[in-house]
């Protein structure tokens, strides 16, 4: 995978990383919906699986510069948790 990433310019690498992150989140939330779990579980599992410690699908130097994506993701997760908690109570 590193050889593939070395041949890409920085903008293409960022776009590929974002698409991998979004696609993994989408797939794993589909799985967690079938298991009747909140979407947050799917997001966390996707992050662990595609992160540098497990599959390394997203390079760590790209993740270091994506603080804004983390903030946006946390906002979406907070809204998702709120709707899940409203259904529980």
């Amino acid at each position: 995978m590193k050889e593939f990433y070395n041949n890409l310019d920085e903008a293409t690498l960022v776009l590929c990383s974002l698409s991998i992150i979004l696609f993994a989140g989408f797939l794993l939330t589909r799985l967690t919906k079938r298991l009747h779990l909140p979407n947050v579980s799917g997001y966390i599992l996707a992050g662990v699986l595609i992160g540098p410690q497990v599959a390394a699908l997203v390079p760590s130097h790209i993740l270091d510069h994506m603080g804004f994506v983390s903030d946006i993701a946390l906002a979406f997760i907070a809204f998702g948790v709120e709707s899940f908690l409203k259904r529980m109570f």
Side-chain angles (χ1 to χ4, degrees):
M1 196 68 151
K2 288 184 181 182
E3 294 175 15
F4 175 73
Y5 285 144
N6 288 337
N7 296 330
L8 301 176
D9 63 344
E10 193 69 24
T12 308
L13 184 59
V14 169
L15 288 174
C16 284
S17 299
L18 279 173
S19 61
I20 289 170
I21 291 168
L22 292 172
F23 188 67
F26 173 75
L27 284 179
L28 287 169
T29 54
R30 293 291 174 180
L31 176 70
T32 56
K33 280 185 182 183
R34 289 181 185 255
L35 299 173
H36 302 291
L37 295 171
N39 288 343
V40 177
S41 304
Y43 299 144
I44 293 171
L45 187 59
V48 169
L49 290 177
I50 66 172
Q53 276 69 27
V54 178
L57 292 177
V58 179
S60 61
H61 73 277
I62 293 295
L63 292 176
D64 293 339
H65 300 291
M66 288 193 161
F68 68 95
V69 175
S70 298
D71 294 339
I72 293 170
L74 286 173
F76 281 117
I77 288 170
F79 285 119
V81 168
E82 176 191 7
S83 66
F84 182 75
L85 289 176
K86 281 183 181 178
R87 283 186 276 156
M88 284 181 56
F89 297 110

